Amino acid sequence: SELKKMNGAIHASFKAWTNASSNGVPGQARTYAESKDGLINFDGDITQLEADKQALLDEITYEEYQQMISDLDTNDPAYQETYEGLVALRDADGTRTDAEIAAELEPIQSELNEYAGYETTGDDALNSLTGGRELSDEAMGVFEARVDEYLASDEYLASKETDEEVLLLEDDIPVE
């Protein structure tokens, strides 16, 4: 079967997914599912966050204006005009310091890192489950359907609420 190792996850109980170690097949499936859940429920707008980050990075700060002023060639015939223009821009309302930009950038970067973490963790788990092979749409659909079932399961929802393990019953032997 194309699914090979993934069959262990597909056929394991959701209690096994919830309690499995992250190295085991059901645990890797759980990790993929949790990453998918994180991406689905991510509060931020990635496109807007990236645009906000770029706008901040593109903003010329007080210190950068100061450096441009220091770098001016005093022998340049346009020196005085350029100097006055840069000083006006540097001292204009809204010109911020490096520290102010960094403080505004920090929560944006934190959200972008959170999103990237979900993507990377999910990709790593899927790569481990597939042995690095790309699955057909049909095979991936079978796995994704099982992941969606898990995300809607009582076991997953209970584990999210309590952050504790769901107890295994005798007939729920973990599949590794």
Side-chain angles (χ1 to χ4, degrees):
S1 163
E2 179 183 4
L3 294 173
K4 294 183 184 178
K5 189 175 177 182
M6 292 176 96
N7 273 322
I10 291 169
H11 295 293
S13 72
F14 292 142
K15 286 182 184 175
W17 279 38
T18 302
N19 290 320
S21 80
S22 59
N23 296 333
V25 172
Q28 291 168 349
R30 180 194 63 239
T31 299
Y32 177 82
E34 289 170 345
S35 295
K36 180 178 178 177
D37 188 39
L39 290 171
I40 290 168
N41 293 304
F42 184 75
D43 288 334
D45 177 344
I46 290 302
T47 304
Q48 187 60 54
L49 287 167
E50 288 172 343
D52 291 348
K53 176 183 175 179
Q54 192 58 52
L56 287 169
L57 294 175
D58 290 346
E59 192 171 320
I60 300 174
T61 64
Y62 182 90
E63 292 86 352
E64 289 171 323
Y65 279 120
Q66 193 61 35
Q67 186 61 50
M68 286 188 269
I69 292 167
S70 296
D71 290 344
L72 288 175
D73 179 1
T74 56
N75 296 320
D76 185 338
Y79 169 79
Q80 191 62 37
E81 181 182 341
T82 305
Y83 173 82
E84 290 171 5
L86 287 173
V87 168
L89 288 170
R90 180 197 67 194
D91 296 340
D93 286 341
T95 300
R96 298 185 289 175
T97 65
D98 288 339
E100 290 169 327
I101 296 291
E104 191 172 334
L105 186 58
E106 186 178 345
I108 293 170
Q109 188 61 55
S110 179
E111 285 191 69
L112 289 170
N113 290 346
E114 178 184 350
Y115 188 85
Y118 290 133
E119 285 185 319
T120 301
T121 302
D123 290 348
D124 289 349
L126 184 62
N127 189 48
S128 179
L129 285 166
T130 64
R133 293 181 331 275
E134 188 169 327
L135 299 179
S136 67
D137 290 344
E138 180 183 354
M140 195 62 196
V142 168
F143 178 64
E144 286 287 348
R146 186 67 171 159
V147 166
D148 291 342
E149 289 172 15
Y150 175 66
L151 292 175
S153 73
D154 292 339
E155 291 84 359
Y156 178 68
L157 297 174
S159 73
K160 279 182 67 169
E161 290 175 12
T162 62
D163 284 335
E164 295 177 12
E165 292 184 352
V166 176
L167 296 177
L168 288 174
L169 301 175
E170 280 186 29
D171 58 340
D172 291 325
I173 307 296
V175 177
E176 291 291 331

